[in-house]
Amino acid sequence: MRYFIGNWKMFGEPKSIGILNKINKFVNSDKNNNKYKTIITPPFTLLENFSKLYKNKKTSIGSQNCYHKDPFSSNTGSISPYMIKSVGAKYTIIGHSDNRAEGDTSKILKDKVNFALKNKLKVIFCIGENKIQKSKKQTFNVLRRQISRVLDKKLNVNDIIVAYEPIWSIGTGKIPETGDLLKTTKFIKNVLTKIFRNKKIPSVLYGGSVDETNVSQFKNISEIDGFLIGGASKSSKKFIDIIKNYYR
Ligand code: PGA
């Protein structure tokens, strides 16, 4: 199973449901639709409405983040996994580099993952090295640390998706070289195999400047189980073309 996940970030208003409707209409009619799953993560403001409207549709709804306390607390402006689940969302992104940059540590992320899973949200856990770490050849160490400090073998692999998003490629139009990406994806899967100690491990996605043109460069890397798509997911045409071109 492949995943095409659209992360809208700080984008969207009630009428943006039109984008989702177009994407879902395509998925419904696509002959390849048994090979993949589509998920959109709108901002919190749209979560309840979109989740209700998409309760029984092929495309699922998730949040872009969640708070590390549950179910209620006195943290102004924060939204807990329980609250996200209560409005019908099924997934949550955790550990996006935007949120790591704003202070999310591995300890905080571990609490977020545990509370999300406790509330039966599936977790899209993001990891990735920055430009300096890459240039110092620290990528593998960084990724190993990010994974092993948060995920452990008690967790159900079916409820976790790992998204590898090198920070230097997010929103920059730069994507990793195929050979590097293959090695890194294999490395991540090895780390996960060691942690979960069985044959089944979480799916591993790639994210960072994926668009309708470059997606063809990823399709021969069979280790990649799908994509986390930011900018290009705000356009139904681009998002649909990514899926079309992947299976072309
Ligand atoms: P991008 O964002 O596709 O716009 O690079 C990806 C992400 O941040 O999830």
Side-chain angles (χ1 to χ4, degrees):
M1 176 64 79
R2 299 286 192 239
Y3 290 90
F4 293 89
I5 305 179
N7 171 16
W8 280 7
K9 310 189 186 187
M10 202 178 88
F11 164 84
E13 56 194 313
K15 69 175 184 206
S16 312
I17 191 75
I19 300 169
L20 198 50
N21 291 342
K22 282 185 193 148
I23 291 171
N24 198 60
K25 192 171 165 208
F26 164 77
V27 175
N28 276 330
S29 63
D30 184 14
K31 65 175 190 306
N32 292 311
N33 69 11
N34 60 335
K35 297 182 186 151
Y36 63 87
K37 166 94 194 136
T38 44
I39 301 162
I40 298 289
T41 64
F44 284 129
T45 46
L46 304 176
L47 210 52
E48 176 170 14
N49 194 28
F50 282 24
S51 296
K52 271 191 190 138
L53 292 168
Y54 273 73
K55 193 165 179 230
N56 296 314
K57 301 230 161 86
K58 275 205 179 300
T59 304
S60 293
I61 304 298
S63 68
Q64 299 170 13
N65 195 2
C66 63
Y67 201 61
H68 58 280
K69 289 184 192 167
D70 211 42
F72 300 132
S73 183
S74 60
N75 301 83
T76 306
S78 301
I79 302 188
S80 69
Y82 173 84
M83 292 158 77
I84 292 165
K85 182 69 183 184
S86 76
V87 297
K90 296 189 177 136
Y91 291 80
T92 181
I93 294 175
I94 291 177
H96 191 281
S97 59
D98 289 342
N99 306 124
R100 289 180 188 262
E102 286 167 352
D104 276 12
T105 60
S106 290
K107 190 184 172 309
I108 290 173
L109 296 176
K110 199 175 170 77
D111 287 343
K112 290 187 178 194
V113 168
N114 287 334
F115 283 129
L117 294 175
K118 195 175 157 211
N119 284 286
K120 301 203 160 27
L121 289 167
K122 290 190 193 266
V123 168
I124 301 150
F125 178 59
C126 300
I127 55 171
E129 83 285 3
N130 65 29
K131 203 171 148 189
I132 296 168
Q133 291 162 336
K134 177 178 160 61
S135 70
K136 290 187 178 164
K137 305 208 182 316
Q138 294 168 344
T139 299
F140 284 7
N141 281 335
V142 169
L143 297 177
R144 187 192 294 111
R145 224 184 304 130
Q146 289 176 336
I147 297 169
S148 63
R149 287 189 181 165
V150 176
L151 302 184
D152 66 63
K153 72 170 197 305
K154 290 195 305 290
L155 308 179
N156 186 346
V157 290
N158 299 316
D159 296 335
I160 300 164
I161 297 166
V162 173
Y164 168 55
E165 299 207 300
I167 297 170
W168 50 270
S169 88
I170 295 176
T172 59
K174 294 191 184 115
I175 57 170
E177 285 177 21
T178 306
D180 285 349
L181 187 56
L182 175 62
K183 270 189 225 150
T184 309
T185 310
K186 281 185 174 164
F187 174 80
I188 292 167
K189 290 198 164 180
N190 277 334
V191 174
L192 292 170
T193 303
K194 278 185 195 138
I195 289 175
F196 288 99
R197 292 190 208 151
N198 54 24
K199 284 194 202 98
K200 192 150 179 16
I201 56 167
S203 297
V204 177
L205 318 187
Y206 169 74
S209 296
V210 175
D211 64 26
E212 68 283 12
T213 317
N214 64 25
V215 70
S216 54
Q217 296 179 43
F218 299 111
K219 66 182 172 192
N220 294 326
I221 312 179
S222 63
E223 281 77 5
I224 295 179
D225 303 310
F227 304 94
L228 181 52
I229 302 150
S233 71
K234 297 184 280 189
S235 148
S236 55
K237 181 168 187 328
K238 285 185 183 171
F239 193 80
I240 292 166
D241 282 347
I242 288 173
I243 301 174
K244 281 187 185 163
N245 292 341
Y246 185 78
Y247 289 105
R248 193 178 300 257

